[in-house]
Each structure stands twice: as structure tokens, then as C-alpha cells.
Amino acid sequence: AQKITQTQPGMFVQEKEAVTLDCTYDTSDQSYGLFWYKQPSSGEMIFLIYQGSYDEQNATEGRYSLNFQKARKSANLVISASQLGDSAMYFCAMREGPQAGTALIFGKGTTLSVSS
Amino acid sequence: GAVVSQHPSRVICKSGTSVKIECRSLDFQATTMFWYRQFPKQSLMLMATSNEGSKATYEQGVEKDKFLINHASLTLSTLTVTSAHPEDSSFYICSARDRGGVNQPQHFGDGTRLSIL
């Protein structure tokens, strides 16, 4: 079974609109971390936002917010007021367990296209 | 902020050549670094975990003798693709995590596009 599931291969949104990118995860660990990264066509991985399994409040970073629903095991990324520069591939990732030195497991990604 | 430098950014070489990729943590010490491989429009797949001063841990299906990893210092890990063939062409990207709380993200290098002719 996949650990991280991103069901939207592609999403399209107009500038200034909000968009939600879906992510569900599967783990039996009580302690884990959830991350979102942005990958533009140039290839670099840009960290956007983090949510810890014990965090009670949803994480927010500027225009990015994470809609964390623990019981449903979902960690959707919400981008408010989309910009043309937001066009990129977005990956949801999970680090299992309390140890910070474990690798991230990535979903298949969602390609976001923002139009004017 | 923490920066990871990866070099080279692009390599084009003939089949049979060995290619070394370097991953450096510039302003922090990384006891653990990770190497990922990414095919076009696909996800990042973990290849191996590089541990300073010890042998790397490889994921299932990754050939240890094909992808040699050395982590000789707290700031440098290298991945050598030995006797590369066209099927090894891919985007290779490393990451490292700064010490600190568990909420610290992994910082990624800019990746290496490897093309084997």
C-alpha cells in the first residue's frame, strides 16, 4: 500500500483563486511529520510547510496552509491567492517515527498550473 | 538558512563512464544524507541513506555496487554511478537534515541531471 497518496495528477487554477491539493497518508506510527515541497521545472525542491502529528493547530506559512485532519489521515495543502509563479509540481511527504534522521517518503505529486 | 550544494548540476557522458556526484551541507553538519532518484514527471524515490563514518543503507532493488556512496565527513556525501548505462539516465537529488527538532525539514540540493549516451 502506498504511504502517501496524491490523487490529483494535475490541477488548474486561475490567478488570485485559492486551490487545494490533496494528500492522504498511511502510517501506524503515532509520531510522524508531514511536509509539502514545491518543485519547479528547474528541479530544485523548495520546502513549503510542515505539520507534526502532535500539532493541534493547522500549520500556516504565508499563502500556504495545511488542512490537517488526523482521523482521516489527510494533510491537504491550501494555496490562497494563486500566482503565476506557483505553477510547479507539488509533493506531499511523510517522515515516519520520532527520529528526525529518517528519510522522507514522497507521494507521486500534483502538477499545478496557474493561468492569468 | 541551511543550504545544500550539489555538484555537478548536469552531466552528459558516454556509456561505461563512472560519474561522481557531490552533496555538501554548507552551513551545518549532517550525520545523515539521503539520495533520491527521480524520473521525469514522477516522484522522488529513495535510493539510499548515507551515514557519516559508516556504510550506507540501500533501499530494496538498488544495486550497492552500481551506486557507490561515501560519506567521509559531516558535510560531504558522494554518489558514484559506476559504469553508467543509458538506463541510469535520471535526475539524482540529495538531501540533508540540520540537527535540531524533529520539525526541521530536509534541505535538498538542486539535483543532478545525468544523461548517458
Side-chain angles (χ1 to χ4, degrees):
Chain A
Q2 288 189 8
K3 292 277 188 178
I4 296 286
T5 302
Q6 294 181 254
T7 58
Q8 307 154 314
M11 288 287 284
F12 297 86
V13 67
Q14 285 201 314
E15 263 187 305
K16 301 180 185 178
E17 290 184 351
V19 62
T20 298
L21 306 184
D22 295 341
C23 173
T24 57
Y25 59 92
D26 182 25
T27 181
S28 57
D29 287 344
Q30 295 300 309
S31 178
Y32 52 89
L34 298 160
F35 302 79
W36 277 91
Y37 284 85
K38 171 185 178 181
Q39 186 181 42
S41 57
S42 51
E44 70 266 32
M45 295 290 285
I46 302 168
F47 166 71
L48 297 178
I49 197 165
Y50 166 84
Q51 181 83 42
S53 59
Y54 293 118
D55 295 342
E56 294 185 350
Q57 290 192 332
N58 287 341
T60 60
E61 289 286 348
R63 294 187 298 113
Y64 305 108
S65 60
L66 201 152
N67 184 0
F68 181 46
Q69 298 187 40
K70 194 170 182 177
R72 297 179 60 184
K73 292 189 175 179
S74 74
N76 299 339
L77 176 70
V78 181
I79 304 174
S80 62
S82 298
Q83 302 172 356
L84 293 177
D86 293 335
S87 294
M89 198 153 185
Y90 288 79
F91 290 99
C92 179
M94 176 173 64
R95 184 203 66 244
E96 288 185 292
Q99 298 301 320
T102 53
L104 296 182
I105 304 165
F106 286 86
K108 291 187 176 181
T110 296
T111 300
L112 176 65
S113 300
V114 182
S115 59
S116 56
Chain B
V3 177
V4 173
S5 173
Q6 188 172 339
H7 178 80
S9 58
R10 187 174 183 90
V11 179
I12 302 173
C13 58
K14 294 181 179 179
S15 183
T17 306
S18 292
V19 178
K20 180 185 282 189
I21 303 169
E22 292 187 348
C23 181
R24 293 181 184 272
S25 56
L26 296 184
D27 56 358
F28 65 98
Q29 294 182 330
T31 55
T32 304
M33 291 185 177
F34 305 97
W35 288 96
Y36 295 85
R37 181 175 183 175
Q38 185 183 28
F39 291 107
K41 303 294 185 182
Q42 295 190 22
S43 184
L44 279 72
M45 300 301 298
L46 179 67
M47 298 175 66
T49 300
S50 172
N51 303 298
E52 188 268 336
S54 64
K55 291 183 179 180
T57 304
Y58 290 82
E59 294 301 300
Q60 190 174 8
V62 177
E63 298 177 57
K64 300 178 183 180
D65 296 332
K66 176 74 172 177
F67 299 99
L68 299 179
I69 291 173
N70 183 281
H71 195 154
S73 77
L74 285 171
T75 59
L76 174 64
S77 175
T78 61
L79 168 67
T80 301
V81 184
T82 61
S83 188
H85 291 285
E87 58 267 28
D88 299 322
S89 298
S90 188
F91 187 63
Y92 294 87
I93 191 164
C94 69
S95 73
R97 193 195 145 270
D98 195 356
R99 296 178 185 179
V102 294
N103 61 342
Q104 291 298 310
Q106 287 187 16
H107 299 281
F108 285 82
D110 286 345
T112 298
R113 294 192 188 279
L114 177 61
S115 299
I116 307 299
L117 305 177

